[in-house]
Amino acid sequence: LGTCSAARMAVLLAQVKTRYIQRLILRHYNGSNIRQRVSLSSLARQELIWWLNLRLVECVQSFKHIPVVQTVALATDASDVGWSYVLAGCWKAGPWSVVDRDRHINHKEFLVLQFALEQNLDTLTGKTVFWEVDNTTALAYVRNGGGTRDWSLCDMAVSLRTWCAIHRIVIIPKYVPSEENIVADRGSRFLRVEDWFLLPRIVRRIFTLWGVPQVDLMATHRSAQLPAYFAFDRQDVSARAVDAFAQDWSFDLAYVFPPPPVILKTLKRIWQSPTTSSFLVILPWWMNKPWFPLALQLQAEPAHRLPRCPNLVVDLSTGRLIPNVSRLK
C-alpha cells in the first residue's frame, strides 16, 4: 500500500485505486494481528489487478502547471433546501429530490459537483475544471480520491474520479468561503445576487477625471456603466463575456464595482494582473475588513471620497438604496 501511495505523483489514479485495499487493511488489522490472512474483497481484488496491468505510459502524469485562465471555472454550493452551480457563467439551481434531501451536507456538496460534470459532459470532456467550493470535506475527498472517515462518501469519490479519468476531465479543487462563492451560494438558497449600481452622473465625473475604461468587469445589462461589460450570467446576451474571474484582465483601464462578497477576490485578481493594467475600483471605506490593507497597498494614488447624495448607490436586485453610502470611496 505504501508503494502504491508513493506513486501518486506519477500515476493519476494512484490514490483512487488503493481505497478498497486500504479499507480491507483497516477492517482486519489493528496492530496486534498483522500476520493473519484475510480474503480479498472483490473490489480490493480489482484494484490489485489494475495495478498489475498498469502500463508505463500511465505512469507519467505531467507536473505542468495550468494557469487558472486556461481552465473552466466551476463554483458549486449546497444548502438544506437546494443546490446550485455556476459553470463558466452558466448558472443552474434546483431543489433536492425526495431521495437526496435528507443526505448529509457533505454528500450534498459532492452531488452538486457530480450534477455539474454530468450535465455538461460534452463541454468538459478533455478539459481542466477549476472547482471552487466552501465545503472542506467534499474538497478533500475529491482531491485525495476518497478518505477513511466516511466510506459512503469515499465510494462516491472513487466513482467520480474514475469517471473523470475516462472522460479526461481533471479537477483542480479550491476552497472558497461562502461569502466569496456569491452566485452559487445565493442560488442554492434561492436568493438574489446583489447588483450594486452607482449613480451614472457620478460615474461620468469619474471617467472625466481618469479616462473612459475599456470594460466594466462586473455588471448586468441593467447596471453596466459601459457598452462592454462582463456578466455573472451566461443568459445576459449583451455581455462581452461571462464570469470576470475566468477572463484576462489585461486592459489599459478597467472599471469595477464588485459586490461586497467578492471584494477580496477582486483585489487579489488585480494584484495578479499585469503591471501595465490600471483599474478604477469603487469600494466601501470599511477599515475593519480583511481586504482593506490590500486595497491600500494596491492604490496608485490616494483614495477619493465620493460625494454625498441620497441615491448614490442602489441594489438593482432589490431596488433598495444602499445604507452608509457616504463611506464609499
Side-chain angles (χ1 to χ4, degrees), residues 161-212:
R161 285 285 302 275
T162 303
W163 180 86
C164 286
I166 293 172
H167 297 285
R168 297 177 289 110
I169 298 173
V170 177
I171 301 176
I172 301 177
K174 180 186 178 184
Y175 172 75
V176 176
S178 297
E179 57 270 20
E180 293 185 25
N181 195 10
I182 179 172
V183 179
D185 181 71
R186 299 296 193 277
S188 70
R189 293 165 173 78
F190 305 108
L191 301 174
R192 293 187 178 94
V193 176
E194 294 95 330
D195 187 18
W196 283 22
F197 179 67
L198 187 60
L199 196 63
R201 65 179 178 84
I202 301 300
V203 175
R204 288 194 294 270
R205 289 173 58 183
I206 293 173
F207 292 172
T208 300
L209 291 172
W210 286 282
V212 178

Side-chain angles (χ1 to χ4, degrees), residues 2 43 50 53 70 93 146 167 172 200 202 229 257 281 288 317 322 328:
L43 293 173
W50 183 88
N53 293 328
Q70 295 180 16
H167 297 285
I172 301 177
I202 301 300
Y229 66 94
F257 188 4
V281 186
N288 61 336
S317 67
I322 303 299
L328 288 175

Side-chain angles (χ1 to χ4, degrees), residues 111-126:
L111 282 175
V112 186
L113 172 63
Q114 186 174 316
F115 291 164
L117 296 177
E118 292 179 350
Q119 292 173 8
N120 299 276
L121 178 58
D122 291 343
T123 302
L124 297 177
T125 297

Side-chain angles (χ1 to χ4, degrees), residues 13 34 46 51 56 60 90 104 126 136 145 155 185-187 193 208 221 231 238 251 271 274-275 313 323:
L13 294 179
I34 59 175
Q46 291 175 21
W51 280 100
L56 182 61
V60 289
C90 181
H104 191 279
T136 56
D155 291 340
D185 181 71
R186 299 296 193 277
V193 176
T208 300
H221 69 281
S238 300
F251 296 102
W271 181 70
T275 55
V313 180

Side-chain angles (χ1 to χ4, degrees), residues 7-19:
R8 65 184 182 276
M9 296 298 291
V11 181
L12 178 62
L13 294 179
Q15 290 176 292
V16 174
K17 294 299 183 179
T18 58
R19 289 303 178 186

Side-chain angles (χ1 to χ4, degrees), residues 6-317:
R8 65 184 182 276
M9 296 298 291
V11 181
L12 178 62
L13 294 179
Q15 290 176 292
V16 174
K17 294 299 183 179
T18 58
R19 289 303 178 186
Y20 296 113
I21 300 172
Q22 185 181 43
R23 185 180 302 187
L24 193 69
I25 292 173
L26 292 174
R27 181 176 297 166
H28 293 282
Y29 295 97
N30 56 19
S32 60
N33 55 352
I34 59 175
R35 294 186 180 278
Q36 73 164 322
R37 293 186 177 184
V38 298
S39 298
L40 289 172
S41 66
S42 60
L43 293 173
R45 187 184 299 274
Q46 291 175 21
E47 287 183 341
L48 289 174
I49 293 173
W50 183 88
W51 280 100
L52 290 172
N53 293 328
L54 195 64
R55 298 172 299 165
L56 182 61
V57 69
E58 298 172 295
C59 304
V60 289
Q61 184 176 200
S62 175
F63 289 175
K64 182 181 179 181
H65 173 72
I66 301 176
V68 173
V69 294
Q70 295 180 16
T71 65
V72 180
L74 171 64
T76 65
D77 192 72
S79 69
D80 290 337
V81 296
W83 56 269
S84 175
Y85 70 79
V86 182
L87 179 69
C90 181
W91 174 74
K92 270 198 172 184
W96 291 113
S97 66
V98 175
V99 175
D100 295 326
R101 67 186 179 190
D102 293 328
R103 286 178 180 263
H104 191 279
I105 189 61
N106 294 340
H107 293 216
K108 289 180 177 178
E109 293 279 5
F110 203 96
L111 282 175
V112 186
L113 172 63
Q114 186 174 316
F115 291 164
L117 296 177
E118 292 179 350
Q119 292 173 8
N120 299 276
L121 178 58
D122 291 343
T123 302
L124 297 177
T125 297
K127 300 292 180 59
T128 297
V129 177
F130 189 75
W131 176 45
E132 296 183 337
V133 63
D134 62 4
N135 185 288
T136 56
T137 300
L139 182 150
Y141 271 67
V142 171
R143 173 180 287 160
N144 300 326
T148 59
R149 292 183 178 272
D150 185 335
W151 289 119
S152 178
L153 191 60
C154 179
D155 291 340
M156 295 172 69
V158 168
S159 176
L160 183 67
R161 285 285 302 275
T162 303
W163 180 86
C164 286
I166 293 172
H167 297 285
R168 297 177 289 110
I169 298 173
V170 177
I171 301 176
I172 301 177
K174 180 186 178 184
Y175 172 75
V176 176
S178 297
E179 57 270 20
E180 293 185 25
N181 195 10
I182 179 172
V183 179
D185 181 71
R186 299 296 193 277
S188 70
R189 293 165 173 78
F190 305 108
L191 301 174
R192 293 187 178 94
V193 176
E194 294 95 330
D195 187 18
W196 283 22
F197 179 67
L198 187 60
L199 196 63
R201 65 179 178 84
I202 301 300
V203 175
R204 288 194 294 270
R205 289 173 58 183
I206 293 173
F207 292 172
T208 300
L209 291 172
W210 286 282
V212 178
Q214 297 166 272
V215 65
D216 186 339
L217 292 176
M218 297 179 192
T220 65
H221 69 281
R222 297 178 62 201
S223 62
Q225 301 285 5
L226 294 160
Y229 66 94
F230 295 158
F232 287 110
D233 191 346
R234 181 177 287 178
Q235 296 179 355
D236 194 336
V237 295
S238 300
R240 174 174 173 177
V242 176
D243 188 1
F245 295 108
Q247 309 304 322
D248 183 6
W249 286 17
S250 300
F251 296 102
D252 293 333
L253 183 63
Y255 170 85
V256 59
F257 188 4
V262 295
I263 288 177
L264 178 59
K265 187 175 182 180
T266 300
L267 293 174
K268 288 180 178 178
R269 184 59 186 276
I270 290 174
W271 181 70
Q272 296 170 350
S273 298
T275 55
T276 54
S277 298
S278 298
F279 301 87
L280 293 176
V281 186
I282 309 299
L283 297 176
W285 193 258
W286 292 342
M287 300 176 65
N288 61 336
K289 295 296 184 179
W291 49 260
F292 190 79
L294 179 58
L296 295 180
Q297 179 183 344
L298 290 173
Q299 63 183 2
E301 58 181 84
H304 294 259
R305 184 179 294 275
L306 296 179
R308 296 190 180 192
C309 51
N311 59 340
L312 181 64
V313 180
V314 179
D315 183 353
L316 295 182
S317 67

